[in-house]
Amino acid sequence: MGIYFPPISLGFGKSNMANRNPIDYRDKIFKTMTFAAAMMVLVLIAGIFFSLVKQAVPAISKFGFFRFISTATWDPVHEVFGAAASLYGTIVTTVLAMSIAIPVSIGIAIFMTELCPNFLKSAMGTAIELLAAIPSIIYGMWGLFTLAPIMGDTVEPFLQQTIGRVPYLGSLFSGTPLGIDILTASTILSIMIIPFMASIARDTFNLTPQVLRESAYGIGATRWEVIRNVVIPYSRKGVLGGIVIAMGRALGETMAVAFVLGNKHEIAHSLLDASATITVTLANEFTEADSDIYMASLFYLAVILFVMSFLTLAAAKFLLKEKIES
Amino acid sequence: MKLKNIFLSLVFIATSLSLTAGDMINGAGATFPYPVYSAWAFNYYRATGVKLNYQSIGSGGGVRQIKNRTVDFGASDAPVKPADLKKMNLIQFPAIIGGVVPVVNIRGMKPGQLKLDGETLSKILLGEISKWNDPRIAVINKGVSLPDANITVVHRSDGSGTTAIFTSYLATVSKDWSEKVGKGKSVNWPVGIGGKGNEGVANYAKRVKNSIGYVEFAYAKQNKLTYVKLRNKNGYFVDPSFGAFKDAAAGAKWNPDKGYYLWLVDVPGDGSWPIAGASFILLGTEKLAANRKVVKFFDWSFNTGDATAKKLTYVPLPKSLKDSIRRYWKRNGIY
Amino acid sequence: MNTLTKRKIQNKVALSLSVLAAAIGLFWLFFILWDVFRHGLSFITPDLFTKDPVPPGFEGGGLRNAFVGQMLITLVAMVIGIPIGVLGGTFLSEYGRHSKLGRFISTLSDIMVSVPSIVIGTFVYAIMVKPIGHFNGWAGGVALAIIMIPVVIRTTEDMMSLVPWSLREAAFALGAPYYKVITQVVYRGAATGIFTGILLSIARVAGETAPLLFTSFNNSFFTTNLNDSTPSLTVTIFQYAMGPYDDWHGMAWAAALVITVAILFITIAGRLLIKWRYRS
């Protein structure tokens, strides 16, 4: 390494320490640059939060917090806005998607760590990664053109004929099956988050020490018993962290649900009803909000979504970190 | 360092590309006239080389974007009230006339076969009539086979002038509607699912069985949707057509001093279609240079675009109205 | 004996269920890919790449404007996002690795990876579209860059931490200052990893739609001037798939096919690269 440093002059005085020791000076510049770049993360997060809050101020002062999140009316004509319907849609689609995705992705993780023959392992891994890489708009579009007709024509009428007849539970499947509803949206959402959850679960399963497994096998446990009583308890926190990360994804997903949710600002009682999420409301109405309070209310929704997903992911980070440290 | 070289060439490409500026007019708003504006813009580009980028985001968006001056012109099917024009410092003129038609998706039903009147239509949209074989629909449709199926209403999810025209018709013909829902660019729909833009409603109406929606006629025609006959003020059932829209607009009294503020719903006349409307252009009064470019486009389209409009079943403005608009432009110093 | 049979049955059932779950996962992947190929392939024509869109009702046309616009927006995102991401990651793995602030920022950037992209769209609208006065391609690029930064930071930090300390110490011993050590030793050691991280971040943003809806907006004409609203493939897919026209649907499928193939290609390339580099 030929160490040659061309003299640099940035207009500082000759007596400056830096000029006498250019090595030190350049290191400082580089360090400052990297520091500034890292600080961008902080600046951006704070910037996003404060600028959204600033834009939302008219709505915050008009509707308050509890009134805003508990009002289900979204009425641009009379300028009454409440987040309850969108919030409800966001939570219901997320919870439903999670309840489909959790068992499937844990199953995938078990298959990949405990059952899969070695030559298949990397192929499976690639496939799951590809599923995660497909853009959400493709999921959404595919949902509208392919999944919605299947749901509306076959799956939903079947559910109505079967579960729909069970008292109480049946009311969840009342209404006309259109395929453009909460159930279809949640299904697409679950397909989207399965790869995230499965790969995190796989990684944490892999962390289980081989010794533990082998000693369980040694006392005659079946494979399933090893998984249930050794692997899963050992990696519980990691899996939980993965679930929460995936939940954060589901909360903030826009395009996969925008096509098939039907944009209805109402608290739906049936899974076959149309609904709206915060993200879909933003995507559809952001460029078209015509009054200032309407616009501010949309920014208010954005603030709520941001805080929700931030807290969720912070919780996930916390869970995963504890796992690694313990 | 190879990475550095790649990176530097990326910077170079990005900067060099962004320096090649073009001549572009930006407009946004109503989806109702999108087919005709985009056709006009396409022809205008071929003839003059000037690009007019019109994005159909809904009339609510059109008003919003011109109010914030994020576009050169906004478009709205719901005329802005003269007082609001003054407040937002806008000028407004109509550019095209068309009709909103209810469309249904019922297996075996042919366009124009199903007949409805204002009262029944509003009851369907209020959710009071929820099945197609309801006696209140059957009584005006003797001999038409109506399925025993639930009706799904498809409405707009965005701020829409088409909705404004449609709901102002419903509010005119039904007292119930006017009390329970009212009229406006976006209303609180009692039932149904929402599609984005005329495009979205047409798409949902096409895919969802036993549905009813409402779109500008060009969308119904281009997508072969099943439109409905409506009873007009004089008591006749009419098909939506060029002639029926023209009749609806025939008696209109346009007033430039009010920014041509006018609705064309439920107008008298034996052949008039009851849900017609004009689509309006909004300009920021102070943006003279940009406005001249926009006005040049509409002047060109008024001169040469009538045939294109007719082909899409829009009604071009009558000559007297075009002349009045040109005088209005001159008065505002942009023509 | 009875409990043993029961346990064996339990074992079989549970394991079969997990095989089933894996099959379901693969099934979706192939179902979606097959559908995209099936619908999109017939609309892949030279016109798609060389012609601009025509209004509904006219024959022909393509999506040249959206392809070029998408590339320009992504380019802007790369020019902004890559240097900030790589430098930021450098700070976290080198200068700031033991500081509280460093670890705090590292955690924050992990969280930022999953901030809903539509929220970033609304943020950029507030800082770049509203003040400037019109939709513009730059805003779209900035929005994508913001999504890209934490992804690049994370992989850069991870990959640089993998470079053994002994290498750095050897360079220090020769009297090299820290920045020389980083640029000439650590970067060299971690280059493949960082490059892969950059590739994956490009794959991630190339498919984003939500942050572009209110920033770069859309344009039905060809433009290379990013001061105008700029078309992108993803927003075009949204508009066309939501629209009622059959030829719009066809073009949306074709665009979906192109974007999916491109992203899958980048992802696989990145994965192979990592495998080849870190074989051990």
Side-chain angles (χ1 to χ4, degrees), chain B residues 74-102:
Chain B
S76 170
D77 316 322
V80 177
K81 288 196 188 103
D84 292 336
L85 286 176
K86 199 166 265 167
K87 214 163 51 192
M88 294 188 274
N89 206 12
L90 297 175
I91 54 182
Q92 168 175 273
F93 60 91
I96 195 75
I97 293 165
V100 178
V101 300

PDB file of all heavy atoms in Angstrom, chain B residues 74-102:
ATOM      1  N   GLY B  74     -57.856  21.459 -13.481  1.00  0.00           N
ATOM      2  CA  GLY B  74     -58.606  20.412 -12.816  1.00  0.00           C
ATOM      3  C   GLY B  74     -59.863  20.154 -13.622  1.00  0.00           C
ATOM      4  O   GLY B  74     -60.284  21.003 -14.411  1.00  0.00           O
ATOM      5  N   ALA B  75     -60.454  19.001 -13.438  1.00  0.00           N
ATOM      6  CA  ALA B  75     -61.700  18.720 -14.131  1.00  0.00           C
ATOM      7  C   ALA B  75     -62.688  18.158 -13.125  1.00  0.00           C
ATOM      8  O   ALA B  75     -62.314  17.375 -12.268  1.00  0.00           O
ATOM      9  CB  ALA B  75     -61.472  17.718 -15.253  1.00  0.00           C
ATOM     10  N   SER B  76     -63.928  18.613 -13.228  1.00  0.00           N
ATOM     11  CA  SER B  76     -64.950  18.137 -12.306  1.00  0.00           C
ATOM     12  C   SER B  76     -66.292  18.082 -13.012  1.00  0.00           C
ATOM     13  O   SER B  76     -66.626  18.966 -13.789  1.00  0.00           O
ATOM     14  CB  SER B  76     -65.029  19.081 -11.103  1.00  0.00           C
ATOM     15  OG  SER B  76     -66.157  18.762 -10.320  1.00  0.00           O
ATOM     16  N   ASP B  77     -67.052  17.042 -12.759  1.00  0.00           N
ATOM     17  CA  ASP B  77     -68.397  16.960 -13.339  1.00  0.00           C
ATOM     18  C   ASP B  77     -69.389  17.702 -12.487  1.00  0.00           C
ATOM     19  O   ASP B  77     -70.436  18.093 -12.957  1.00  0.00           O
ATOM     20  CB  ASP B  77     -68.861  15.515 -13.449  1.00  0.00           C
ATOM     21  CG  ASP B  77     -67.787  14.626 -13.983  1.00  0.00           C
ATOM     22  OD1 ASP B  77     -67.069  15.089 -14.870  1.00  0.00           O
ATOM     23  OD2 ASP B  77     -67.653  13.503 -13.490  1.00  0.00           O
ATOM     24  N   ALA B  78     -69.056  17.857 -11.211  1.00  0.00           N
ATOM     25  CA  ALA B  78     -69.927  18.648 -10.362  1.00  0.00           C
ATOM     26  C   ALA B  78     -69.411  20.082 -10.473  1.00  0.00           C
ATOM     27  O   ALA B  78     -68.270  20.332 -10.118  1.00  0.00           O
ATOM     28  CB  ALA B  78     -69.832  18.169  -8.932  1.00  0.00           C
ATOM     29  N   PRO B  79     -70.218  20.997 -10.982  1.00  0.00           N
ATOM     30  CA  PRO B  79     -69.718  22.364 -11.095  1.00  0.00           C
ATOM     31  C   PRO B  79     -69.423  22.936  -9.709  1.00  0.00           C
ATOM     32  O   PRO B  79     -70.105  22.624  -8.745  1.00  0.00           O
ATOM     33  CB  PRO B  79     -70.874  23.107 -11.767  1.00  0.00           C
ATOM     34  CG  PRO B  79     -72.081  22.268 -11.519  1.00  0.00           C
ATOM     35  CD  PRO B  79     -71.597  20.859 -11.446  1.00  0.00           C
ATOM     36  N   VAL B  80     -68.379  23.742  -9.630  1.00  0.00           N
ATOM     37  CA  VAL B  80     -68.050  24.400  -8.369  1.00  0.00           C
ATOM     38  C   VAL B  80     -68.925  25.638  -8.241  1.00  0.00           C
ATOM     39  O   VAL B  80     -69.118  26.380  -9.209  1.00  0.00           O
ATOM     40  CB  VAL B  80     -66.554  24.780  -8.347  1.00  0.00           C
ATOM     41  CG1 VAL B  80     -66.208  25.526  -7.070  1.00  0.00           C
ATOM     42  CG2 VAL B  80     -65.689  23.542  -8.496  1.00  0.00           C
ATOM     43  N   LYS B  81     -69.474  25.867  -7.060  1.00  0.00           N
ATOM     44  CA  LYS B  81     -70.382  26.999  -6.849  1.00  0.00           C
ATOM     45  C   LYS B  81     -69.655  28.323  -7.072  1.00  0.00           C
ATOM     46  O   LYS B  81     -68.479  28.448  -6.705  1.00  0.00           O
ATOM     47  CB  LYS B  81     -70.927  26.968  -5.423  1.00  0.00           C
ATOM     48  CG  LYS B  81     -71.919  25.857  -5.200  1.00  0.00           C
ATOM     49  CD  LYS B  81     -72.726  26.111  -3.915  1.00  0.00           C
ATOM     50  CE  LYS B  81     -73.580  24.914  -3.593  1.00  0.00           C
ATOM     51  NZ  LYS B  81     -73.034  24.085  -2.514  1.00  0.00           N
ATOM     52  N   PRO B  82     -70.339  29.320  -7.651  1.00  0.00           N
ATOM     53  CA  PRO B  82     -69.686  30.608  -7.953  1.00  0.00           C
ATOM     54  C   PRO B  82     -68.947  31.194  -6.745  1.00  0.00           C
ATOM     55  O   PRO B  82     -67.833  31.705  -6.899  1.00  0.00           O
ATOM     56  CB  PRO B  82     -70.853  31.497  -8.367  1.00  0.00           C
ATOM     57  CG  PRO B  82     -71.880  30.565  -8.877  1.00  0.00           C
ATOM     58  CD  PRO B  82     -71.728  29.286  -8.113  1.00  0.00           C
ATOM     59  N   ALA B  83     -69.543  31.081  -5.558  1.00  0.00           N
ATOM     60  CA  ALA B  83     -68.889  31.654  -4.376  1.00  0.00           C
ATOM     61  C   ALA B  83     -67.561  30.951  -4.092  1.00  0.00           C
ATOM     62  O   ALA B  83     -66.557  31.587  -3.752  1.00  0.00           O
ATOM     63  CB  ALA B  83     -69.812  31.541  -3.163  1.00  0.00           C
ATOM     64  N   ASP B  84     -67.559  29.626  -4.275  1.00  0.00           N
ATOM     65  CA  ASP B  84     -66.331  28.870  -4.024  1.00  0.00           C
ATOM     66  C   ASP B  84     -65.268  29.152  -5.079  1.00  0.00           C
ATOM     67  O   ASP B  84     -64.076  29.138  -4.799  1.00  0.00           O
ATOM     68  CB  ASP B  84     -66.621  27.362  -3.985  1.00  0.00           C
ATOM     69  CG  ASP B  84     -67.457  26.976  -2.778  1.00  0.00           C
ATOM     70  OD1 ASP B  84     -67.406  27.733  -1.781  1.00  0.00           O
ATOM     71  OD2 ASP B  84     -68.165  25.962  -2.843  1.00  0.00           O
ATOM     72  N   LEU B  85     -65.748  29.395  -6.315  1.00  0.00           N
ATOM     73  CA  LEU B  85     -64.806  29.750  -7.382  1.00  0.00           C
ATOM     74  C   LEU B  85     -64.023  30.979  -6.974  1.00  0.00           C
ATOM     75  O   LEU B  85     -62.807  31.058  -7.120  1.00  0.00           O
ATOM     76  CB  LEU B  85     -65.545  30.035  -8.686  1.00  0.00           C
ATOM     77  CG  LEU B  85     -66.114  28.844  -9.450  1.00  0.00           C
ATOM     78  CD1 LEU B  85     -66.893  29.351 -10.662  1.00  0.00           C
ATOM     79  CD2 LEU B  85     -65.001  27.923  -9.904  1.00  0.00           C
ATOM     80  N   LYS B  86     -64.755  31.957  -6.464  1.00  0.00           N
ATOM     81  CA  LYS B  86     -64.125  33.211  -6.061  1.00  0.00           C
ATOM     82  C   LYS B  86     -63.150  32.944  -4.919  1.00  0.00           C
ATOM     83  O   LYS B  86     -62.026  33.439  -4.915  1.00  0.00           O
ATOM     84  CB  LYS B  86     -65.218  34.206  -5.627  1.00  0.00           C
ATOM     85  CG  LYS B  86     -64.736  35.647  -5.625  1.00  0.00           C
ATOM     86  CD  LYS B  86     -65.895  36.607  -5.520  1.00  0.00           C
ATOM     87  CE  LYS B  86     -66.380  37.114  -6.877  1.00  0.00           C
ATOM     88  NZ  LYS B  86     -67.668  37.798  -6.773  1.00  0.00           N
ATOM     89  N   LYS B  87     -63.589  32.127  -3.969  1.00  0.00           N
ATOM     90  CA  LYS B  87     -62.759  31.853  -2.795  1.00  0.00           C
ATOM     91  C   LYS B  87     -61.448  31.171  -3.188  1.00  0.00           C
ATOM     92  O   LYS B  87     -60.386  31.473  -2.661  1.00  0.00           O
ATOM     93  CB  LYS B  87     -63.550  30.954  -1.832  1.00  0.00           C
ATOM     94  CG  LYS B  87     -63.250  31.236  -0.384  1.00  0.00           C
ATOM     95  CD  LYS B  87     -64.283  30.674   0.584  1.00  0.00           C
ATOM     96  CE  LYS B  87     -64.631  29.228   0.412  1.00  0.00           C
ATOM     97  NZ  LYS B  87     -65.807  28.780   1.143  1.00  0.00           N
ATOM     98  N   MET B  88     -61.534  30.224  -4.135  1.00  0.00           N
ATOM     99  CA  MET B  88     -60.327  29.478  -4.512  1.00  0.00           C
ATOM    100  C   MET B  88     -59.619  30.144  -5.690  1.00  0.00           C
ATOM    101  O   MET B  88     -58.629  29.624  -6.189  1.00  0.00           O
ATOM    102  CB  MET B  88     -60.693  28.038  -4.867  1.00  0.00           C
ATOM    103  CG  MET B  88     -61.218  27.238  -3.694  1.00  0.00           C
ATOM    104  SD  MET B  88     -61.433  25.496  -4.094  1.00  0.00           S
ATOM    105  CE  MET B  88     -63.063  25.457  -4.789  1.00  0.00           C
ATOM    106  N   ASN B  89     -60.172  31.281  -6.152  1.00  0.00           N
ATOM    107  CA  ASN B  89     -59.569  32.013  -7.248  1.00  0.00           C
ATOM    108  C   ASN B  89     -59.480  31.161  -8.518  1.00  0.00           C
ATOM    109  O   ASN B  89     -58.424  30.997  -9.112  1.00  0.00           O
ATOM    110  CB  ASN B  89     -58.170  32.492  -6.821  1.00  0.00           C
ATOM    111  CG  ASN B  89     -57.775  33.734  -7.586  1.00  0.00           C
ATOM    112  OD1 ASN B  89     -58.605  34.350  -8.250  1.00  0.00           O
ATOM    113  ND2 ASN B  89     -56.504  34.083  -7.522  1.00  0.00           N
ATOM    114  N   LEU B  90     -60.632  30.626  -8.921  1.00  0.00           N
ATOM    115  CA  LEU B  90     -60.669  29.741 -10.085  1.00  0.00           C
ATOM    116  C   LEU B  90     -61.598  30.291 -11.156  1.00  0.00           C
ATOM    117  O   LEU B  90     -62.511  31.050 -10.862  1.00  0.00           O
ATOM    118  CB  LEU B  90     -61.188  28.353  -9.685  1.00  0.00           C
ATOM    119  CG  LEU B  90     -60.371  27.540  -8.694  1.00  0.00           C
ATOM    120  CD1 LEU B  90     -61.123  26.265  -8.337  1.00  0.00           C
ATOM    121  CD2 LEU B  90     -59.008  27.216  -9.274  1.00  0.00           C
ATOM    122  N   ILE B  91     -61.339  29.908 -12.408  1.00  0.00           N
ATOM    123  CA  ILE B  91     -62.343  30.116 -13.440  1.00  0.00           C
ATOM    124  C   ILE B  91     -62.806  28.747 -13.938  1.00  0.00           C
ATOM    125  O   ILE B  91     -62.070  27.765 -13.869  1.00  0.00           O
ATOM    126  CB  ILE B  91     -61.834  30.993 -14.607  1.00  0.00           C
ATOM    127  CG1 ILE B  91     -60.550  30.435 -15.198  1.00  0.00           C
ATOM    128  CG2 ILE B  91     -61.625  32.427 -14.152  1.00  0.00           C
ATOM    129  CD1 ILE B  91     -59.991  31.293 -16.310  1.00  0.00           C
ATOM    130  N   GLN B  92     -64.045  28.708 -14.417  1.00  0.00           N
ATOM    131  CA  GLN B  92     -64.665  27.417 -14.712  1.00  0.00           C
ATOM    132  C   GLN B  92     -65.458  27.493 -15.998  1.00  0.00           C
ATOM    133  O   GLN B  92     -66.158  28.473 -16.232  1.00  0.00           O
ATOM    134  CB  GLN B  92     -65.571  27.040 -13.543  1.00  0.00           C
ATOM    135  CG  GLN B  92     -66.504  25.873 -13.794  1.00  0.00           C
ATOM    136  CD  GLN B  92     -67.270  25.490 -12.533  1.00  0.00           C
ATOM    137  OE1 GLN B  92     -66.819  24.715 -11.732  1.00  0.00           O
ATOM    138  NE2 GLN B  92     -68.460  26.067 -12.371  1.00  0.00           N
ATOM    139  N   PHE B  93     -65.325  26.477 -16.837  1.00  0.00           N
ATOM    140  CA  PHE B  93     -66.178  26.406 -18.025  1.00  0.00           C
ATOM    141  C   PHE B  93     -66.445  24.939 -18.368  1.00  0.00           C
ATOM    142  O   PHE B  93     -65.624  24.075 -18.053  1.00  0.00           O
ATOM    143  CB  PHE B  93     -65.524  27.123 -19.213  1.00  0.00           C
ATOM    144  CG  PHE B  93     -64.189  26.559 -19.602  1.00  0.00           C
ATOM    145  CD1 PHE B  93     -64.096  25.543 -20.554  1.00  0.00           C
ATOM    146  CD2 PHE B  93     -63.016  27.057 -19.033  1.00  0.00           C
ATOM    147  CE1 PHE B  93     -62.865  25.024 -20.913  1.00  0.00           C
ATOM    148  CE2 PHE B  93     -61.782  26.539 -19.392  1.00  0.00           C
ATOM    149  CZ  PHE B  93     -61.702  25.517 -20.334  1.00  0.00           C
ATOM    150  N   PRO B  94     -67.591  24.638 -19.006  1.00  0.00           N
ATOM    151  CA  PRO B  94     -67.886  23.263 -19.379  1.00  0.00           C
ATOM    152  C   PRO B  94     -67.093  22.867 -20.627  1.00  0.00           C
ATOM    153  O   PRO B  94     -66.717  23.745 -21.413  1.00  0.00           O
ATOM    154  CB  PRO B  94     -69.376  23.276 -19.681  1.00  0.00           C
ATOM    155  CG  PRO B  94     -69.658  24.673 -20.088  1.00  0.00           C
ATOM    156  CD  PRO B  94     -68.702  25.547 -19.340  1.00  0.00           C
ATOM    157  N   ALA B  95     -66.821  21.584 -20.814  1.00  0.00           N
ATOM    158  CA  ALA B  95     -66.075  21.158 -21.990  1.00  0.00           C
ATOM    159  C   ALA B  95     -66.794  20.069 -22.773  1.00  0.00           C
ATOM    160  O   ALA B  95     -66.560  19.902 -23.958  1.00  0.00           O
ATOM    161  CB  ALA B  95     -64.689  20.669 -21.586  1.00  0.00           C
ATOM    162  N   ILE B  96     -67.677  19.332 -22.098  1.00  0.00           N
ATOM    163  CA  ILE B  96     -68.343  18.222 -22.792  1.00  0.00           C
ATOM    164  C   ILE B  96     -69.597  17.853 -22.002  1.00  0.00           C
ATOM    165  O   ILE B  96     -69.669  18.110 -20.798  1.00  0.00           O
ATOM    166  CB  ILE B  96     -67.382  17.009 -22.904  1.00  0.00           C
ATOM    167  CG1 ILE B  96     -67.865  15.973 -23.902  1.00  0.00           C
ATOM    168  CG2 ILE B  96     -67.141  16.357 -21.546  1.00  0.00           C
ATOM    169  CD1 ILE B  96     -67.666  16.387 -25.341  1.00  0.00           C
ATOM    170  N   ILE B  97     -70.566  17.284 -22.684  1.00  0.00           N
ATOM    171  CA  ILE B  97     -71.793  16.863 -22.002  1.00  0.00           C
ATOM    172  C   ILE B  97     -71.964  15.356 -22.188  1.00  0.00           C
ATOM    173  O   ILE B  97     -71.676  14.819 -23.262  1.00  0.00           O
ATOM    174  CB  ILE B  97     -73.016  17.618 -22.580  1.00  0.00           C
ATOM    175  CG1 ILE B  97     -72.916  19.107 -22.224  1.00  0.00           C
ATOM    176  CG2 ILE B  97     -74.328  17.048 -22.056  1.00  0.00           C
ATOM    177  CD1 ILE B  97     -73.827  19.996 -23.008  1.00  0.00           C
ATOM    178  N   GLY B  98     -72.411  14.699 -21.159  1.00  0.00           N
ATOM    179  CA  GLY B  98     -72.615  13.255 -21.257  1.00  0.00           C
ATOM    180  C   GLY B  98     -73.729  12.817 -20.324  1.00  0.00           C
ATOM    181  O   GLY B  98     -74.386  13.648 -19.700  1.00  0.00           O
ATOM    182  N   GLY B  99     -73.909  11.525 -20.231  1.00  0.00           N
ATOM    183  CA  GLY B  99     -74.978  11.011 -19.385  1.00  0.00           C
ATOM    184  C   GLY B  99     -74.481   9.917 -18.463  1.00  0.00           C
ATOM    185  O   GLY B  99     -73.586   9.154 -18.807  1.00  0.00           O
ATOM    186  N   VAL B 100     -75.074   9.877 -17.257  1.00  0.00           N
ATOM    187  CA  VAL B 100     -74.758   8.804 -16.324  1.00  0.00           C
ATOM    188  C   VAL B 100     -75.849   7.748 -16.464  1.00  0.00           C
ATOM    189  O   VAL B 100     -77.028   8.084 -16.493  1.00  0.00           O
ATOM    190  CB  VAL B 100     -74.726   9.340 -14.880  1.00  0.00           C
ATOM    191  CG1 VAL B 100     -74.452   8.214 -13.894  1.00  0.00           C
ATOM    192  CG2 VAL B 100     -73.692  10.434 -14.746  1.00  0.00           C
ATOM    193  N   VAL B 101     -75.459   6.486 -16.584  1.00  0.00           N
ATOM    194  CA  VAL B 101     -76.454   5.435 -16.750  1.00  0.00           C
ATOM    195  C   VAL B 101     -76.290   4.361 -15.681  1.00  0.00           C
ATOM    196  O   VAL B 101     -75.182   3.988 -15.338  1.00  0.00           O
ATOM    197  CB  VAL B 101     -76.348   4.783 -18.155  1.00  0.00           C
ATOM    198  CG1 VAL B 101     -76.580   5.802 -19.236  1.00  0.00           C
ATOM    199  CG2 VAL B 101     -75.011   4.102 -18.355  1.00  0.00           C
ATOM    200  N   PRO B 102     -77.422   3.880 -15.153  1.00  0.00           N
ATOM    201  CA  PRO B 102     -77.348   2.721 -14.260  1.00  0.00           C
ATOM    202  C   PRO B 102     -77.047   1.480 -15.102  1.00  0.00           C
ATOM    203  O   PRO B 102     -77.606   1.320 -16.190  1.00  0.00           O
ATOM    204  CB  PRO B 102     -78.744   2.618 -13.662  1.00  0.00           C
ATOM    205  CG  PRO B 102     -79.449   3.887 -14.031  1.00  0.00           C
ATOM    206  CD  PRO B 102     -78.793   4.395 -15.267  1.00  0.00           C
TER     207      PRO B 102
END
